[in-house]
Amino acid sequence: MDATFQCHGVREAHRNADGLDAAAEDIRNIGYTVIDSDFSPAELQTIREKADAVYDRQVRECGGEGSLERMHDSSVARCVLSYDDYFVRLAAHEKLLGLVARLLGDNFILLGQNAIINRADRKHDQVTWHRDLTYQHFVCSRPLAISALYCIDEFTDLTGATTVLPASHKEEAFPSRGFVERHQRVVEARAGSIIVFDAMLYHRGGVNKSGRTRLGVNHIFVMPFIKQQIDLPAALGGKFRDDPLLSRLLGYDSASPASAYFWRMSKIERANGFVAKAG
Ligand SMILES: O=C(O)CCC(=O)C(=O)O
């Protein structure tokens, strides 16, 4: 065996059953990995056009882009799936959800889905270091929240690829300037890739010097005791409630019951569902 893979004094070693396990191991250990969405160039183009259309609508809703700039929220189309059903396929991507389940278990919901429109030579508020669970300074032995940033365009140094601080999800405080300078990594990725990371990993968008727009669509999946950025069941007005996978993912099943009676009834319904399935 190659000496670089030999060890001594090791009683416990992690083994991966498949590629998703290996991706989950990357995220647990260094905080991030890159997987392929398998979206075609035509699908990526549709996503670009639809993200622009949602953003234009949101700009009009808020009284022009100047208002969004004043609230430091320009160049982001928020909660895109509540404006266009097409974005549901990004949130419910089978391979992605399989990876998230290896990290969070089966019961998780979508906290938010935002399109990050990084336009060439425009200032973007995502270019400063942050965690996706903002203002949080604790660490946890298991992941609580996983982010999935679709690279709709190629992510390179020139287009303003995402930069990460490996393993920073394991330390409470933001690291020193020297650590940032020594350890920051630019995550270059082909169009159609998904950068999947622990939402507590410090990261930032890059400055886009390519002359072309660089689009990303970010998702945050969380255990359901963490509340959604926007109340998706309310924003969707009941849409997708009858689809068992989407109902759970979009948070219909984790809204707090309105009374002790409804809490008990929801337990009974779940138990009946389980008995029915098991039988
Ligand atoms: O656009 C990027 O590269 C980073 C996006 C980001 O930081 C975010 O959505 O939280």
Side-chain angles (χ1 to χ4, degrees):
M1 194 199 204
D2 182 340
T4 51
F5 291 105
Q6 288 176 345
C7 39
H8 71 273
V10 173
R11 264 206 285 254
E12 292 176 17
H14 182 81
R15 294 217 193 288
N16 292 316
D18 56 23
L20 279 193
D21 259 2
E25 183 184 25
D26 283 353
I27 296 171
R28 280 195 209 91
N29 285 315
I30 57 168
Y32 69 101
T33 197
V34 180
I35 64 171
D36 207 337
S37 72
D38 299 315
F39 283 158
S40 68
E43 287 171 304
L44 297 176
Q45 182 55 24
T46 303
I47 293 167
R48 282 183 203 109
E49 287 162 16
K50 286 179 174 291
D52 281 347
V54 173
Y55 184 61
D56 288 348
R57 240 179 100 184
Q58 295 188 348
V59 164
R60 283 198 301 280
E61 275 172 3
C62 294
E65 198 162 34
S67 323
L68 293 181
E69 278 162 7
R70 280 190 291 284
M71 58 180 101
H72 300 287
D73 202 36
S74 61
S75 302
V76 180
R78 293 212 175 262
C79 199
V80 277
L81 60 71
S82 67
Y83 286 75
D84 190 323
D85 293 357
Y86 196 85
F87 288 96
V88 171
R89 75 188 61 196
L90 279 72
H93 188 285
E94 197 181 335
K95 180 166 48 165
L96 173 61
L97 294 189
L99 173 54
V100 175
R102 306 250 173 135
L103 294 155
L104 298 183
D106 288 333
N107 194 16
F108 57 86
I109 60 168
L110 181 68
L111 174 140
Q113 182 196 50
N114 299 316
I116 313 298
I117 305 168
N118 190 337
R119 289 178 283 184
D121 302 320
R122 289 277 291 259
K123 196 178 156 297
H124 201 294
D125 290 294
Q126 297 295 335
V127 300
T128 54
W129 292 109
H130 60 281
R131 286 177 159 153
D132 278 347
L133 297 185
T134 50
Y135 298 105
Q136 301 310 312
H137 285 285
F138 59 88
V139 289
C140 202
S141 58
R142 291 168 184 238
L144 288 177
I146 298 295
S147 298
L149 177 62
Y150 280 76
C151 307
I152 306 302
D153 294 293
E154 194 184 24
F155 275 36
T156 64
D157 205 20
L158 188 69
T159 64
T162 310
T163 302
V164 300
L165 286 176
S168 57
H169 61 305
K170 296 187 175 186
E171 191 61 39
E172 294 182 346
F174 183 69
S176 67
R177 185 176 181 142
F179 181 96
V180 172
E181 285 168 357
R182 286 193 303 278
H183 297 292
Q184 60 183 327
R185 294 281 176 277
V186 176
V187 185
E188 297 208 308
R190 282 185 292 116
S193 312
I194 317 174
I195 305 172
V196 190
F197 54 102
D198 189 304
M200 295 295 277
L201 186 80
Y202 278 105
H203 63 282
R204 62 178 178 84
V207 175
N208 181 0
K209 301 172 288 263
S210 70
R212 286 171 283 122
T213 295
R214 190 232 68 181
L215 180 66
V217 182
N218 199 11
H219 297 71
I220 308 173
F221 300 97
V222 290
M223 292 194 177
F225 61 83
I226 301 177
K227 88 177 160 67
Q228 292 174 322
Q229 184 178 49
I230 289 163
D231 181 344
L232 286 175
L236 290 163
K239 212 195 284 185
F240 309 118
R241 184 197 285 268
D242 295 333
D243 179 312
L245 185 146
L246 292 180
S247 169
R248 183 187 54 70
L249 183 67
L250 299 171
Y252 285 103
D253 299 352
S254 44
S256 303
S259 67
Y261 172 77
F262 284 120
W263 184 79
R264 288 200 173 98
M265 287 303 110
S266 68
K267 266 176 79 86
I268 290 168
E269 272 166 28
R270 268 202 298 277
N272 286 344
F274 176 71
V275 169
K277 268 188 222 139

